[in-house]
Amino acid sequence: MRWRTYVGPMYSAPCVSDGAVYVAGRGLWALDAADGSVRWTNADVGWFSSPTVSGDTVYIADRGRFYALDAANGRVRWRKRMTWDSHTPPAVADGLVHHVDTGRYLRTFDAVTGRRRWRVRYRRRGMNDAGPVLVDGTLYAVDDRGTVRAFESATGSVRWQQSTFARWPVTPLVQDGTLYLGGGVSSDVYALDAATGEQRWTAWPDLAYSSFRSTPAIHGNTLYIAGTDYRLYALNATTGDTRWRVITDGPIHSSPVVADGTVYFGSEEGHVWAVRADNGRVRWKMKTGGKVESPVVADGVVHVCSRDGYLYAIEATPTPKRQ
């Protein structure tokens, strides 16, 4: 462990940008990535949702409000009053901010002024852990009933929609022309053509009785997805066939991340795991004091939040201990 800093209970992933780590705990915090020292805090912002940093601005939704803050000092540039809470980070590109919450609408704001550009009703009110994904001018969103929609990011017009049997899924992954989606509280994993919505394959890994409430990760032709049955699965990204699985010490809601041949993720039993991407063998694991959220890897360091209130910075490849 390089350092750890107490910021209060955390329910989301951090965001690393330009030598700083931004995280929502008891307020919104900006920490120095080198040593964990506090650059600034804003006690009025931050709770469940992860921040997104674009340029010199931090965007975050929090308890019925949406904020744009100066990344250098945490001062509010603009805010919007919202009706519903949000649990997901916004997507930002091309001067637009795209945001979903537990209400019915996908909303798009002007990134500089906060003025609304467009909104589209796409779901029922209620729990929503599926954030928007923006790739090459197309905005992807999935509702609680498993319907995936692709929108024109500038106007909100629907390019396509496709139904699945996913229920209450989380944010999908879009990579190299394919959208990958965990089944939420169901036991399926889906691959859709990102341009048309056509279903490429559906998998039920190892006939597992699990729910897949994490965003997949991909490296090469292998898709990694975590399940609540204590397992991390590696699937053939072309066919959905299971390549291997590794059994951990608890349910996994953390989304995995792949870097330098290693898959990193966290378990509800409080461990941060690092396993080999090619075969799932455990390289190391580290105990924290609470449930571990989704990690972020930057510059050889794993940044991860724990429900014990600490943000941890861990060497991705620890130096071997001397004998």
Side-chain angles (χ1 to χ4, degrees):
M1 183 170 62
R2 278 193 176 183
W3 52 261
R4 68 174 186 170
T5 300
Y6 187 82
V7 301
M10 292 167 284
Y11 302 88
S12 59
C15 179
V16 183
S17 177
D18 292 332
V21 187
Y22 302 88
V23 61
R26 288 179 177 165
L28 182 63
W29 298 63
L31 309 177
D32 192 292
D35 58 12
S37 59
V38 179
R39 292 186 175 182
W40 56 258
T41 63
N42 188 319
D44 297 326
V45 182
W47 189 248
F48 288 108
S49 178
S50 298
T52 297
V53 179
S54 179
D56 61 355
T57 306
V58 184
Y59 301 93
I60 187 169
D62 172 56
R63 291 173 291 179
R65 286 178 173 83
F66 191 95
Y67 293 89
L69 304 98
D70 190 311
N73 53 36
R75 293 174 183 170
V76 176
R77 289 179 167 169
W78 55 261
R79 77 188 77 191
K80 300 280 290 186
R81 182 179 294 276
M82 313 299 293
T83 305
W84 303 93
D85 292 337
S86 178
H87 300 164
T88 63
V92 186
D94 301 323
L96 299 176
V97 182
H98 309 280
H99 161 67
V100 300
D101 54 25
T102 54
R104 297 174 176 175
Y105 294 96
L106 169 61
R107 294 177 172 88
T108 293
F109 310 126
D110 185 286
V112 176
T113 66
R115 292 184 59 186
R116 190 176 77 191
R117 291 288 188 89
W118 56 263
R119 72 174 188 175
V120 174
R121 179 175 173 175
Y122 79 108
R123 64 182 304 274
R124 303 179 299 175
R125 292 173 181 169
M127 182 181 70
N128 182 25
D129 292 323
V133 179
L134 182 61
V135 178
D136 296 332
T138 300
L139 190 66
Y140 302 90
V142 56
D143 66 21
D144 53 309
R145 297 183 179 184
T147 299
V148 184
R149 293 175 175 85
F151 301 90
E152 165 58 48
S153 63
T155 65
S157 61
V158 178
R159 290 181 168 172
W160 56 259
Q161 70 179 53
Q162 178 66 264
S163 297
T164 71
F165 289 104
R167 292 298 180 265
W168 294 284
V170 300
T171 306
L173 169 73
V174 181
Q175 184 78 23
D176 295 332
T178 303
L179 182 146
Y180 302 96
L181 177 68
V185 297
S186 75
S187 301
D188 300 319
V189 182
Y190 299 88
L192 308 180
D193 188 298
T196 66
E198 180 182 358
Q199 188 167 295
R200 291 182 169 171
W201 52 258
T202 303
W204 186 4
D206 285 2
L207 301 180
Y209 185 73
S210 177
S211 57
F212 292 104
R213 294 193 52 76
S214 68
T215 299
I218 195 168
H219 177 68
N221 196 41
T222 302
L223 186 76
Y224 306 92
I225 190 165
T228 57
D229 61 352
Y230 296 29
R231 291 167 171 82
L232 176 79
Y233 292 89
L235 310 180
N236 184 308
T238 303
T239 65
D241 294 336
T242 301
R243 288 184 163 164
W244 53 259
R245 66 183 185 273
V246 59
I247 301 175
T248 68
D249 55 359
I252 311 170
H253 288 90
S254 161
S255 298
V257 62
V258 188
D260 297 325
T262 302
V263 187
Y264 304 93
F265 59 97
S267 72
E268 290 199 8
E269 297 304 306
H271 280 104
V272 183
W273 292 76
V275 303
R276 285 183 51 166
D278 57 351
N279 57 25
R281 291 180 181 173
V282 178
R283 285 187 160 158
W284 56 262
K285 66 176 181 177
M286 195 196 83
K287 180 69 174 177
T288 73
K291 174 185 174 181
V292 178
E293 303 295 337
S294 302
V296 174
V297 180
D299 299 322
V301 177
V302 183
H303 305 272
V304 66
C305 301
S306 172
R307 293 286 178 88
D308 64 6
Y310 284 95
L311 173 68
Y312 292 83
I314 308 162
E315 289 284 354
T317 306
T319 302
K321 294 180 180 180
R322 293 184 178 180
Q323 300 297 323

